[in-house]
């Protein structure tokens, strides 16, 4: 199974996928990594010799124009699966429609709790005693697609957003690597 991974930040989930995919018995490989900015995580792709592209959000006048450029880049590689892993942008509806259901997303909360760009912060603000990590299929909503995997993560007294996010990320990475494996083997079918 060929993967395109889209990021905006540190790319720790990307790195986990790259490491997993470097094992010969893992049934998926990353063929390209894209970002909406000069993301630090692109360095992981370079370290693993994976091609990258950047479509700067700031360089486009609309979400649609930005999305079309991202789609044009993806089409070069024609990946089997697109993994949004820390991409902090919503893909425009036309792009989702074109690739769905072959787009999955990692989210640092127990969806449908705390969707959106600040799931960790929102869980803390709500005083939640537990939150979680989720892997979902992207649909044309915000973190509203079918849930492929999720697991609870405890919120501890005194947690800062960073501390809680650091506790969530290893769970996210483990779920993502397992979900991609199960999609690659056909065990998990992607539906709209
Ligand atoms: C991850 O927790 C992801 O779910 C969220 O942002 C974080 C990105 O982390 N959208 P990284 O860039 O993979 O380190």
């Amino acid at each position: 199974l060929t993967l395109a991974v889209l990021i905006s930040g540190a790319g720790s989930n990307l790195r986990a996928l790259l490491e997993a995919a470097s094992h010969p018995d893992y049934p998926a490989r990353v063929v390209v990594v894209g970002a909406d900015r000069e993301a630090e995580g692109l360095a992981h792709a370079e370290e693993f010799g994976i091609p990258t592209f950047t479509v700067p959000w700031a360089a486009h006048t609309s979400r649609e124009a930005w999305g079309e450029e991202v789609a044009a880049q993806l089409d070069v590689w024609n990946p089997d699966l697109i993994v949004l892993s820390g991409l902090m942008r919503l893909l425009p509806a036309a792009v989702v429609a074109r690739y769905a259901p072959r787009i999955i997303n990692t989210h640092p909360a127990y969806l449908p709790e705390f969707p959106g760009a600040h799931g960790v912060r929102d869980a803390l603000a709500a005083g939640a005693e537990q939150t979680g990590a989720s892997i979902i299929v992207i649909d044309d909503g915000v973190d509203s697609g079918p849930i492929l995997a999720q697991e609870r993560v405890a919120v501890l007294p005194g947690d800062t957003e960073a501390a809680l996010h650091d506790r969530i990320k290893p769970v996210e990475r483990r779920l993502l690597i397992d979900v991609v494996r199960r999609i690659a083997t056909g065990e998990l079918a992607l539906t709209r």
Side-chain angles (χ1 to χ4, degrees):
L1 191 79
T2 58
L3 311 176
V5 183
L6 300 184
I7 65 170
S8 294
S12 66
N13 282 293
L14 163 66
R15 184 172 190 89
L17 261 183
L18 290 168
E19 289 172 352
S22 62
H23 291 286
D25 59 357
Y26 191 73
R29 55 190 177 84
V30 180
V31 294
V32 66
V33 175
D36 65 326
R37 56 179 285 272
E38 288 304 318
E40 304 76 20
L42 291 170
H44 298 313
E46 285 147 19
E47 182 184 328
F48 281 77
I50 308 289
T52 65
F53 67 81
T54 304
V55 180
W57 175 263
H60 290 76
T61 53
S62 71
R63 177 186 307 282
E64 288 67 30
W66 172 80
E68 281 311 310
E69 180 58 32
V70 171
Q73 293 286 340
L74 290 172
D75 286 350
V76 169
W77 305 92
N78 191 28
D80 297 317
L81 180 67
I82 298 163
V83 179
L84 309 187
S85 186
L87 181 71
M88 299 311 282
R89 303 289 174 196
L90 294 179
L91 294 173
V95 174
V96 173
R98 198 149 137 203
Y99 294 108
R102 295 183 294 119
I103 314 176
I104 66 173
N105 183 39
T106 61
H107 186 73
Y110 201 81
L111 293 172
E113 299 166 1
F114 310 120
H118 305 293
V120 179
R121 185 190 312 171
D122 295 345
L124 279 177
E129 293 187 354
Q130 55 178 5
T131 181
S134 306
I135 312 293
I136 62 167
V137 178
I138 288 289
D139 65 4
D140 47 15
V142 178
D143 296 325
S144 54
I147 295 173
L148 298 174
Q150 60 184 172
E151 185 173 308
R152 281 289 185 190
V153 175
V155 180
L156 300 182
D159 263 346
T160 59
E161 183 178 347
L164 178 53
H165 208 162
D166 285 347
R167 189 175 313 117
I168 293 169
K169 279 188 170 184
V171 175
E172 223 176 328
R173 291 197 276 271
R174 176 164 41 78
L175 293 179
L176 178 61
I177 289 164
D178 185 50
V179 162
V180 168
R181 180 192 300 106
R182 288 192 286 136
I183 292 169
T185 60
E187 181 190 336
L188 191 55
L190 291 179
T191 58
R192 284 177 184 276

